[in-house]
Amino acid sequence: MLQYALKVLLTAVVIVAISAIAKRSSFWAALLASLPLTSLLAFIWLYVETGDRARVAALSSGVFWLVLPSLPLFLLLPALLRAGWNFWLALLAAAALAVASYGLMLWLLGKLGVQL
């Protein structure tokens, strides 16, 4: 139970830090947010809990393939906001594009025989 509480606390600290830093510098907040901290923490927790390097390798491969379809969100959201869209509508549209991109990526990976 203590390990789960530590995971939640560490994750919350990272998110709160990014939000606080963003109020002062979007560059530094973006840099911190773009680091694969979540993935690194997941790799560490998975290894500590299981000791299974094959599972960590499989998770890492899966993260690689599934990061790619998230990238259009980061292109569409700022474009829509700069075009004057309402924040919530722009976020919804960008998230919908991300969902569609995930679907396309999973379909494509299936066609290529890549298993996650």
Side-chain angles (χ1 to χ4, degrees):
M1 187 58 134
L2 179 62
Q3 196 172 33
Y4 288 112
L6 181 59
K7 289 178 193 179
V8 170
L9 179 63
L10 190 53
T11 302
V13 166
V14 169
I15 292 169
V16 169
I18 292 168
S19 176
I21 292 168
K23 293 175 186 173
R24 297 181 185 181
S25 170
S26 59
F27 170 78
W28 290 110
L31 178 65
L32 183 57
S34 71
L35 294 174
L37 294 173
T38 304
S39 298
L40 293 173
L41 289 172
F43 300 154
I44 291 167
W45 292 126
L46 180 60
Y47 184 75
V48 166
E49 291 174 2
T50 67
D52 189 339
R53 293 179 302 192
R55 283 188 181 191
V56 174
L59 177 59
S60 180
S61 294
V63 168
F64 169 77
W65 289 112
L66 294 176
V67 160
L68 298 175
S70 72
L71 296 178
L73 178 144
F74 299 105
L75 295 173
L76 183 60
L77 182 60
L80 294 177
L81 292 173
R82 288 184 182 117
W85 281 45
N86 169 280
F87 170 78
W88 296 110
L89 188 56
L91 185 61
L92 181 64
L97 176 62
V99 169
S101 296
Y102 278 107
L104 178 61
M105 177 61 87
L106 292 174
W107 175 80
L108 182 61
L109 290 174
K111 291 290 186 186
L112 296 173
V114 176
Q115 292 190 3
L116 300 180

PDB file of all heavy atoms in Angstrom, residues 32-67:
ATOM      1  N   LEU A  32       9.908  19.829 -19.319  1.00  0.00           N
ATOM      2  CA  LEU A  32       9.636  18.851 -18.268  1.00  0.00           C
ATOM      3  C   LEU A  32       8.508  17.902 -18.678  1.00  0.00           C
ATOM      4  O   LEU A  32       8.600  16.686 -18.480  1.00  0.00           O
ATOM      5  CB  LEU A  32       9.281  19.564 -16.961  1.00  0.00           C
ATOM      6  CG  LEU A  32       9.030  18.688 -15.746  1.00  0.00           C
ATOM      7  CD1 LEU A  32      10.229  17.801 -15.442  1.00  0.00           C
ATOM      8  CD2 LEU A  32       8.706  19.555 -14.542  1.00  0.00           C
ATOM      9  N   ALA A  33       7.460  18.437 -19.280  1.00  0.00           N
ATOM     10  CA  ALA A  33       6.331  17.600 -19.695  1.00  0.00           C
ATOM     11  C   ALA A  33       6.716  16.643 -20.823  1.00  0.00           C
ATOM     12  O   ALA A  33       6.149  15.556 -20.938  1.00  0.00           O
ATOM     13  CB  ALA A  33       5.165  18.478 -20.134  1.00  0.00           C
ATOM     14  N   SER A  34       7.662  17.061 -21.661  1.00  0.00           N
ATOM     15  CA  SER A  34       8.034  16.214 -22.794  1.00  0.00           C
ATOM     16  C   SER A  34       8.979  15.084 -22.407  1.00  0.00           C
ATOM     17  O   SER A  34       9.131  14.122 -23.161  1.00  0.00           O
ATOM     18  CB  SER A  34       8.678  17.058 -23.892  1.00  0.00           C
ATOM     19  OG  SER A  34       9.966  17.498 -23.487  1.00  0.00           O
ATOM     20  N   LEU A  35       9.600  15.200 -21.244  1.00  0.00           N
ATOM     21  CA  LEU A  35      10.461  14.109 -20.797  1.00  0.00           C
ATOM     22  C   LEU A  35       9.605  12.872 -20.550  1.00  0.00           C
ATOM     23  O   LEU A  35       8.483  12.976 -20.064  1.00  0.00           O
ATOM     24  CB  LEU A  35      11.186  14.498 -19.506  1.00  0.00           C
ATOM     25  CG  LEU A  35      12.189  15.638 -19.619  1.00  0.00           C
ATOM     26  CD1 LEU A  35      12.701  16.010 -18.234  1.00  0.00           C
ATOM     27  CD2 LEU A  35      13.335  15.266 -20.522  1.00  0.00           C
ATOM     28  N   PRO A  36      10.133  11.735 -20.851  1.00  0.00           N
ATOM     29  CA  PRO A  36       9.320  10.522 -20.657  1.00  0.00           C
ATOM     30  C   PRO A  36       9.301  10.070 -19.187  1.00  0.00           C
ATOM     31  O   PRO A  36       9.552   8.914 -18.877  1.00  0.00           O
ATOM     32  CB  PRO A  36      10.022   9.505 -21.564  1.00  0.00           C
ATOM     33  CG  PRO A  36      11.448   9.948 -21.569  1.00  0.00           C
ATOM     34  CD  PRO A  36      11.400  11.451 -21.513  1.00  0.00           C
ATOM     35  N   LEU A  37       9.003  11.023 -18.299  1.00  0.00           N
ATOM     36  CA  LEU A  37       9.019  10.713 -16.873  1.00  0.00           C
ATOM     37  C   LEU A  37       8.010   9.634 -16.510  1.00  0.00           C
ATOM     38  O   LEU A  37       8.310   8.725 -15.727  1.00  0.00           O
ATOM     39  CB  LEU A  37       8.739  11.972 -16.050  1.00  0.00           C
ATOM     40  CG  LEU A  37       9.803  13.070 -16.136  1.00  0.00           C
ATOM     41  CD1 LEU A  37       9.328  14.318 -15.410  1.00  0.00           C
ATOM     42  CD2 LEU A  37      11.111  12.585 -15.561  1.00  0.00           C
ATOM     43  N   THR A  38       6.828   9.725 -17.074  1.00  0.00           N
ATOM     44  CA  THR A  38       5.801   8.725 -16.773  1.00  0.00           C
ATOM     45  C   THR A  38       6.276   7.342 -17.212  1.00  0.00           C
ATOM     46  O   THR A  38       6.149   6.371 -16.466  1.00  0.00           O
ATOM     47  CB  THR A  38       4.482   9.077 -17.483  1.00  0.00           C
ATOM     48  OG1 THR A  38       4.101  10.390 -17.107  1.00  0.00           O
ATOM     49  CG2 THR A  38       3.396   8.097 -17.140  1.00  0.00           C
ATOM     50  N   SER A  39       6.827   7.277 -18.397  1.00  0.00           N
ATOM     51  CA  SER A  39       7.314   5.989 -18.897  1.00  0.00           C
ATOM     52  C   SER A  39       8.469   5.477 -18.041  1.00  0.00           C
ATOM     53  O   SER A  39       8.505   4.298 -17.676  1.00  0.00           O
ATOM     54  CB  SER A  39       7.768   6.114 -20.350  1.00  0.00           C
ATOM     55  OG  SER A  39       6.685   6.478 -21.156  1.00  0.00           O
ATOM     56  N   LEU A  40       9.402   6.360 -17.721  1.00  0.00           N
ATOM     57  CA  LEU A  40      10.530   5.932 -16.895  1.00  0.00           C
ATOM     58  C   LEU A  40      10.069   5.424 -15.534  1.00  0.00           C
ATOM     59  O   LEU A  40      10.547   4.393 -15.046  1.00  0.00           O
ATOM     60  CB  LEU A  40      11.528   7.077 -16.728  1.00  0.00           C
ATOM     61  CG  LEU A  40      12.268   7.509 -17.993  1.00  0.00           C
ATOM     62  CD1 LEU A  40      13.096   8.756 -17.725  1.00  0.00           C
ATOM     63  CD2 LEU A  40      13.138   6.385 -18.516  1.00  0.00           C
ATOM     64  N   LEU A  41       9.134   6.149 -14.928  1.00  0.00           N
ATOM     65  CA  LEU A  41       8.607   5.699 -13.640  1.00  0.00           C
ATOM     66  C   LEU A  41       7.893   4.356 -13.785  1.00  0.00           C
ATOM     67  O   LEU A  41       8.041   3.470 -12.942  1.00  0.00           O
ATOM     68  CB  LEU A  41       7.659   6.744 -13.061  1.00  0.00           C
ATOM     69  CG  LEU A  41       8.321   8.031 -12.570  1.00  0.00           C
ATOM     70  CD1 LEU A  41       7.266   9.062 -12.203  1.00  0.00           C
ATOM     71  CD2 LEU A  41       9.240   7.756 -11.397  1.00  0.00           C
ATOM     72  N   ALA A  42       7.137   4.197 -14.861  1.00  0.00           N
ATOM     73  CA  ALA A  42       6.442   2.923 -15.088  1.00  0.00           C
ATOM     74  C   ALA A  42       7.444   1.782 -15.270  1.00  0.00           C
ATOM     75  O   ALA A  42       7.243   0.682 -14.735  1.00  0.00           O
ATOM     76  CB  ALA A  42       5.524   3.029 -16.300  1.00  0.00           C
ATOM     77  N   PHE A  43       8.517   2.034 -16.008  1.00  0.00           N
ATOM     78  CA  PHE A  43       9.549   1.004 -16.198  1.00  0.00           C
ATOM     79  C   PHE A  43      10.158   0.615 -14.854  1.00  0.00           C
ATOM     80  O   PHE A  43      10.343  -0.563 -14.558  1.00  0.00           O
ATOM     81  CB  PHE A  43      10.667   1.487 -17.120  1.00  0.00           C
ATOM     82  CG  PHE A  43      10.238   1.872 -18.507  1.00  0.00           C
ATOM     83  CD1 PHE A  43      10.977   2.778 -19.231  1.00  0.00           C
ATOM     84  CD2 PHE A  43       9.102   1.335 -19.098  1.00  0.00           C
ATOM     85  CE1 PHE A  43      10.599   3.151 -20.507  1.00  0.00           C
ATOM     86  CE2 PHE A  43       8.710   1.697 -20.378  1.00  0.00           C
ATOM     87  CZ  PHE A  43       9.473   2.611 -21.089  1.00  0.00           C
ATOM     88  N   ILE A  44      10.474   1.632 -14.060  1.00  0.00           N
ATOM     89  CA  ILE A  44      11.087   1.373 -12.747  1.00  0.00           C
ATOM     90  C   ILE A  44      10.139   0.586 -11.852  1.00  0.00           C
ATOM     91  O   ILE A  44      10.526  -0.427 -11.259  1.00  0.00           O
ATOM     92  CB  ILE A  44      11.509   2.702 -12.083  1.00  0.00           C
ATOM     93  CG1 ILE A  44      12.682   3.312 -12.853  1.00  0.00           C
ATOM     94  CG2 ILE A  44      11.882   2.482 -10.614  1.00  0.00           C
ATOM     95  CD1 ILE A  44      12.980   4.755 -12.481  1.00  0.00           C
ATOM     96  N   TRP A  45       8.873   1.057 -11.747  1.00  0.00           N
ATOM     97  CA  TRP A  45       7.926   0.363 -10.870  1.00  0.00           C
ATOM     98  C   TRP A  45       7.685  -1.060 -11.345  1.00  0.00           C
ATOM     99  O   TRP A  45       7.613  -1.985 -10.529  1.00  0.00           O
ATOM    100  CB  TRP A  45       6.601   1.117 -10.787  1.00  0.00           C
ATOM    101  CG  TRP A  45       6.699   2.431 -10.083  1.00  0.00           C
ATOM    102  CD1 TRP A  45       6.304   3.637 -10.577  1.00  0.00           C
ATOM    103  CD2 TRP A  45       7.216   2.701  -8.768  1.00  0.00           C
ATOM    104  NE1 TRP A  45       6.562   4.628  -9.651  1.00  0.00           N
ATOM    105  CE2 TRP A  45       7.114   4.085  -8.537  1.00  0.00           C
ATOM    106  CE3 TRP A  45       7.764   1.896  -7.775  1.00  0.00           C
ATOM    107  CZ2 TRP A  45       7.527   4.673  -7.353  1.00  0.00           C
ATOM    108  CZ3 TRP A  45       8.185   2.489  -6.591  1.00  0.00           C
ATOM    109  CH2 TRP A  45       8.061   3.853  -6.394  1.00  0.00           C
ATOM    110  N   LEU A  46       7.546  -1.252 -12.647  1.00  0.00           N
ATOM    111  CA  LEU A  46       7.306  -2.592 -13.177  1.00  0.00           C
ATOM    112  C   LEU A  46       8.478  -3.516 -12.851  1.00  0.00           C
ATOM    113  O   LEU A  46       8.289  -4.656 -12.415  1.00  0.00           O
ATOM    114  CB  LEU A  46       7.070  -2.547 -14.692  1.00  0.00           C
ATOM    115  CG  LEU A  46       6.802  -3.883 -15.376  1.00  0.00           C
ATOM    116  CD1 LEU A  46       5.561  -4.557 -14.799  1.00  0.00           C
ATOM    117  CD2 LEU A  46       6.665  -3.683 -16.887  1.00  0.00           C
ATOM    118  N   TYR A  47       9.697  -3.017 -13.042  1.00  0.00           N
ATOM    119  CA  TYR A  47      10.871  -3.845 -12.759  1.00  0.00           C
ATOM    120  C   TYR A  47      10.997  -4.136 -11.268  1.00  0.00           C
ATOM    121  O   TYR A  47      11.265  -5.266 -10.865  1.00  0.00           O
ATOM    122  CB  TYR A  47      12.148  -3.197 -13.283  1.00  0.00           C
ATOM    123  CG  TYR A  47      13.333  -4.096 -13.065  1.00  0.00           C
ATOM    124  CD1 TYR A  47      13.520  -5.219 -13.865  1.00  0.00           C
ATOM    125  CD2 TYR A  47      14.224  -3.872 -12.024  1.00  0.00           C
ATOM    126  CE1 TYR A  47      14.580  -6.082 -13.660  1.00  0.00           C
ATOM    127  CE2 TYR A  47      15.286  -4.725 -11.798  1.00  0.00           C
ATOM    128  CZ  TYR A  47      15.454  -5.837 -12.613  1.00  0.00           C
ATOM    129  OH  TYR A  47      16.496  -6.694 -12.389  1.00  0.00           O
ATOM    130  N   VAL A  48      10.793  -3.111 -10.433  1.00  0.00           N
ATOM    131  CA  VAL A  48      10.890  -3.305  -8.982  1.00  0.00           C
ATOM    132  C   VAL A  48       9.858  -4.321  -8.503  1.00  0.00           C
ATOM    133  O   VAL A  48      10.146  -5.165  -7.657  1.00  0.00           O
ATOM    134  CB  VAL A  48      10.726  -1.949  -8.240  1.00  0.00           C
ATOM    135  CG1 VAL A  48      10.481  -2.135  -6.756  1.00  0.00           C
ATOM    136  CG2 VAL A  48      11.950  -1.067  -8.473  1.00  0.00           C
ATOM    137  N   GLU A  49       8.637  -4.246  -9.061  1.00  0.00           N
ATOM    138  CA  GLU A  49       7.572  -5.132  -8.614  1.00  0.00           C
ATOM    139  C   GLU A  49       7.670  -6.546  -9.174  1.00  0.00           C
ATOM    140  O   GLU A  49       7.239  -7.500  -8.534  1.00  0.00           O
ATOM    141  CB  GLU A  49       6.213  -4.541  -8.985  1.00  0.00           C
ATOM    142  CG  GLU A  49       5.888  -3.293  -8.201  1.00  0.00           C
ATOM    143  CD  GLU A  49       4.616  -2.606  -8.662  1.00  0.00           C
ATOM    144  OE1 GLU A  49       3.946  -3.119  -9.585  1.00  0.00           O
ATOM    145  OE2 GLU A  49       4.303  -1.546  -8.103  1.00  0.00           O
ATOM    146  N   THR A  50       8.231  -6.681 -10.393  1.00  0.00           N
ATOM    147  CA  THR A  50       8.249  -8.006 -11.027  1.00  0.00           C
ATOM    148  C   THR A  50       9.655  -8.560 -11.262  1.00  0.00           C
ATOM    149  O   THR A  50       9.818  -9.773 -11.359  1.00  0.00           O
ATOM    150  CB  THR A  50       7.533  -7.984 -12.394  1.00  0.00           C
ATOM    151  OG1 THR A  50       8.294  -7.189 -13.314  1.00  0.00           O
ATOM    152  CG2 THR A  50       6.114  -7.451 -12.270  1.00  0.00           C
ATOM    153  N   GLY A  51      10.642  -7.677 -11.422  1.00  0.00           N
ATOM    154  CA  GLY A  51      11.988  -8.132 -11.769  1.00  0.00           C
ATOM    155  C   GLY A  51      12.061  -8.708 -13.174  1.00  0.00           C
ATOM    156  O   GLY A  51      13.045  -9.328 -13.541  1.00  0.00           O
ATOM    157  N   ASP A  52      11.033  -8.477 -13.958  1.00  0.00           N
ATOM    158  CA  ASP A  52      10.900  -9.091 -15.285  1.00  0.00           C
ATOM    159  C   ASP A  52      11.361  -8.114 -16.371  1.00  0.00           C
ATOM    160  O   ASP A  52      10.634  -7.210 -16.762  1.00  0.00           O
ATOM    161  CB  ASP A  52       9.445  -9.498 -15.491  1.00  0.00           C
ATOM    162  CG  ASP A  52       9.233 -10.345 -16.736  1.00  0.00           C
ATOM    163  OD1 ASP A  52      10.085 -10.306 -17.649  1.00  0.00           O
ATOM    164  OD2 ASP A  52       8.196 -11.026 -16.795  1.00  0.00           O
ATOM    165  N   ARG A  53      12.564  -8.322 -16.860  1.00  0.00           N
ATOM    166  CA  ARG A  53      13.117  -7.440 -17.902  1.00  0.00           C
ATOM    167  C   ARG A  53      12.350  -7.555 -19.207  1.00  0.00           C
ATOM    168  O   ARG A  53      12.219  -6.580 -19.950  1.00  0.00           O
ATOM    169  CB  ARG A  53      14.595  -7.753 -18.125  1.00  0.00           C
ATOM    170  CG  ARG A  53      15.454  -7.402 -16.916  1.00  0.00           C
ATOM    171  CD  ARG A  53      16.879  -7.739 -17.151  1.00  0.00           C
ATOM    172  NE  ARG A  53      16.957  -9.174 -17.443  1.00  0.00           N
ATOM    173  CZ  ARG A  53      18.062  -9.879 -17.483  1.00  0.00           C
ATOM    174  NH1 ARG A  53      19.213  -9.284 -17.293  1.00  0.00           N
ATOM    175  NH2 ARG A  53      18.050 -11.164 -17.734  1.00  0.00           N
ATOM    176  N   ALA A  54      11.819  -8.729 -19.511  1.00  0.00           N
ATOM    177  CA  ALA A  54      11.051  -8.909 -20.752  1.00  0.00           C
ATOM    178  C   ALA A  54       9.783  -8.058 -20.722  1.00  0.00           C
ATOM    179  O   ALA A  54       9.398  -7.472 -21.745  1.00  0.00           O
ATOM    180  CB  ALA A  54      10.703 -10.386 -20.951  1.00  0.00           C
ATOM    181  N   ARG A  55       9.134  -7.968 -19.568  1.00  0.00           N
ATOM    182  CA  ARG A  55       7.944  -7.121 -19.468  1.00  0.00           C
ATOM    183  C   ARG A  55       8.291  -5.653 -19.636  1.00  0.00           C
ATOM    184  O   ARG A  55       7.543  -4.902 -20.258  1.00  0.00           O
ATOM    185  CB  ARG A  55       7.246  -7.324 -18.124  1.00  0.00           C
ATOM    186  CG  ARG A  55       6.445  -8.572 -18.041  1.00  0.00           C
ATOM    187  CD  ARG A  55       5.655  -8.595 -16.764  1.00  0.00           C
ATOM    188  NE  ARG A  55       4.896  -9.825 -16.686  1.00  0.00           N
ATOM    189  CZ  ARG A  55       3.963 -10.034 -15.806  1.00  0.00           C
ATOM    190  NH1 ARG A  55       3.653  -9.113 -14.921  1.00  0.00           N
ATOM    191  NH2 ARG A  55       3.314 -11.177 -15.793  1.00  0.00           N
ATOM    192  N   VAL A  56       9.416  -5.253 -19.071  1.00  0.00           N
ATOM    193  CA  VAL A  56       9.852  -3.856 -19.221  1.00  0.00           C
ATOM    194  C   VAL A  56      10.161  -3.576 -20.688  1.00  0.00           C
ATOM    195  O   VAL A  56       9.780  -2.528 -21.218  1.00  0.00           O
ATOM    196  CB  VAL A  56      11.069  -3.548 -18.320  1.00  0.00           C
ATOM    197  CG1 VAL A  56      11.598  -2.143 -18.588  1.00  0.00           C
ATOM    198  CG2 VAL A  56      10.705  -3.711 -16.842  1.00  0.00           C
ATOM    199  N   ALA A  57      10.819  -4.517 -21.353  1.00  0.00           N
ATOM    200  CA  ALA A  57      11.126  -4.342 -22.783  1.00  0.00           C
ATOM    201  C   ALA A  57       9.840  -4.256 -23.601  1.00  0.00           C
ATOM    202  O   ALA A  57       9.726  -3.414 -24.500  1.00  0.00           O
ATOM    203  CB  ALA A  57      12.002  -5.493 -23.275  1.00  0.00           C
ATOM    204  N   ALA A  58       8.863  -5.108 -23.301  1.00  0.00           N
ATOM    205  CA  ALA A  58       7.591  -5.078 -24.027  1.00  0.00           C
ATOM    206  C   ALA A  58       6.864  -3.758 -23.784  1.00  0.00           C
ATOM    207  O   ALA A  58       6.311  -3.166 -24.723  1.00  0.00           O
ATOM    208  CB  ALA A  58       6.711  -6.260 -23.606  1.00  0.00           C
ATOM    209  N   LEU A  59       6.867  -3.284 -22.551  1.00  0.00           N
ATOM    210  CA  LEU A  59       6.234  -2.002 -22.242  1.00  0.00           C
ATOM    211  C   LEU A  59       6.927  -0.869 -22.997  1.00  0.00           C
ATOM    212  O   LEU A  59       6.270  -0.006 -23.574  1.00  0.00           O
ATOM    213  CB  LEU A  59       6.263  -1.740 -20.732  1.00  0.00           C
ATOM    214  CG  LEU A  59       5.700  -0.402 -20.268  1.00  0.00           C
ATOM    215  CD1 LEU A  59       4.248  -0.241 -20.682  1.00  0.00           C
ATOM    216  CD2 LEU A  59       5.871  -0.258 -18.761  1.00  0.00           C
ATOM    217  N   SER A  60       8.242  -0.896 -23.015  1.00  0.00           N
ATOM    218  CA  SER A  60       8.996   0.144 -23.709  1.00  0.00           C
ATOM    219  C   SER A  60       8.685   0.159 -25.206  1.00  0.00           C
ATOM    220  O   SER A  60       8.498   1.227 -25.802  1.00  0.00           O
ATOM    221  CB  SER A  60      10.502  -0.074 -23.485  1.00  0.00           C
ATOM    222  OG  SER A  60      11.251   0.900 -24.145  1.00  0.00           O
ATOM    223  N   SER A  61       8.607  -1.005 -25.812  1.00  0.00           N
ATOM    224  CA  SER A  61       8.258  -1.086 -27.238  1.00  0.00           C
ATOM    225  C   SER A  61       6.852  -0.562 -27.485  1.00  0.00           C
ATOM    226  O   SER A  61       6.607   0.169 -28.442  1.00  0.00           O
ATOM    227  CB  SER A  61       8.353  -2.528 -27.731  1.00  0.00           C
ATOM    228  OG  SER A  61       9.687  -2.971 -27.690  1.00  0.00           O
ATOM    229  N   GLY A  62       5.933  -0.931 -26.625  1.00  0.00           N
ATOM    230  CA  GLY A  62       4.562  -0.457 -26.761  1.00  0.00           C
ATOM    231  C   GLY A  62       4.460   1.049 -26.642  1.00  0.00           C
ATOM    232  O   GLY A  62       3.735   1.705 -27.395  1.00  0.00           O
ATOM    233  N   VAL A  63       5.201   1.610 -25.693  1.00  0.00           N
ATOM    234  CA  VAL A  63       5.206   3.066 -25.520  1.00  0.00           C
ATOM    235  C   VAL A  63       5.730   3.738 -26.786  1.00  0.00           C
ATOM    236  O   VAL A  63       5.160   4.730 -27.249  1.00  0.00           O
ATOM    237  CB  VAL A  63       6.051   3.477 -24.290  1.00  0.00           C
ATOM    238  CG1 VAL A  63       6.300   4.977 -24.273  1.00  0.00           C
ATOM    239  CG2 VAL A  63       5.365   3.036 -23.003  1.00  0.00           C
ATOM    240  N   PHE A  64       6.787   3.188 -27.363  1.00  0.00           N
ATOM    241  CA  PHE A  64       7.331   3.783 -28.594  1.00  0.00           C
ATOM    242  C   PHE A  64       6.259   3.880 -29.669  1.00  0.00           C
ATOM    243  O   PHE A  64       6.030   4.943 -30.239  1.00  0.00           O
ATOM    244  CB  PHE A  64       8.513   2.971 -29.125  1.00  0.00           C
ATOM    245  CG  PHE A  64       8.927   3.399 -30.500  1.00  0.00           C
ATOM    246  CD1 PHE A  64       9.666   4.553 -30.679  1.00  0.00           C
ATOM    247  CD2 PHE A  64       8.519   2.690 -31.623  1.00  0.00           C
ATOM    248  CE1 PHE A  64      10.019   4.974 -31.959  1.00  0.00           C
ATOM    249  CE2 PHE A  64       8.873   3.105 -32.895  1.00  0.00           C
ATOM    250  CZ  PHE A  64       9.628   4.255 -33.067  1.00  0.00           C
ATOM    251  N   TRP A  65       5.602   2.753 -29.950  1.00  0.00           N
ATOM    252  CA  TRP A  65       4.612   2.753 -31.024  1.00  0.00           C
ATOM    253  C   TRP A  65       3.417   3.634 -30.713  1.00  0.00           C
ATOM    254  O   TRP A  65       2.827   4.220 -31.613  1.00  0.00           O
ATOM    255  CB  TRP A  65       4.149   1.326 -31.327  1.00  0.00           C
ATOM    256  CG  TRP A  65       5.210   0.527 -32.009  1.00  0.00           C
ATOM    257  CD1 TRP A  65       5.896  -0.532 -31.503  1.00  0.00           C
ATOM    258  CD2 TRP A  65       5.731   0.748 -33.316  1.00  0.00           C
ATOM    259  NE1 TRP A  65       6.815  -0.986 -32.410  1.00  0.00           N
ATOM    260  CE2 TRP A  65       6.738  -0.218 -33.541  1.00  0.00           C
ATOM    261  CE3 TRP A  65       5.455   1.661 -34.327  1.00  0.00           C
ATOM    262  CZ2 TRP A  65       7.448  -0.294 -34.728  1.00  0.00           C
ATOM    263  CZ3 TRP A  65       6.169   1.579 -35.514  1.00  0.00           C
ATOM    264  CH2 TRP A  65       7.151   0.618 -35.705  1.00  0.00           C
ATOM    265  N   LEU A  66       3.043   3.749 -29.436  1.00  0.00           N
ATOM    266  CA  LEU A  66       1.847   4.502 -29.094  1.00  0.00           C
ATOM    267  C   LEU A  66       2.112   5.973 -28.780  1.00  0.00           C
ATOM    268  O   LEU A  66       1.167   6.749 -28.632  1.00  0.00           O
ATOM    269  CB  LEU A  66       1.115   3.813 -27.945  1.00  0.00           C
ATOM    270  CG  LEU A  66       0.558   2.442 -28.347  1.00  0.00           C
ATOM    271  CD1 LEU A  66      -0.072   1.744 -27.155  1.00  0.00           C
ATOM    272  CD2 LEU A  66      -0.434   2.557 -29.487  1.00  0.00           C
ATOM    273  N   VAL A  67       3.379   6.369 -28.748  1.00  0.00           N
ATOM    274  CA  VAL A  67       3.688   7.799 -28.652  1.00  0.00           C
ATOM    275  C   VAL A  67       3.418   8.465 -29.998  1.00  0.00           C
ATOM    276  O   VAL A  67       2.907   9.582 -30.054  1.00  0.00           O
ATOM    277  CB  VAL A  67       5.154   8.030 -28.224  1.00  0.00           C
ATOM    278  CG1 VAL A  67       5.637   9.423 -28.565  1.00  0.00           C
ATOM    279  CG2 VAL A  67       5.316   7.790 -26.729  1.00  0.00           C
TER     280      VAL A  67
END
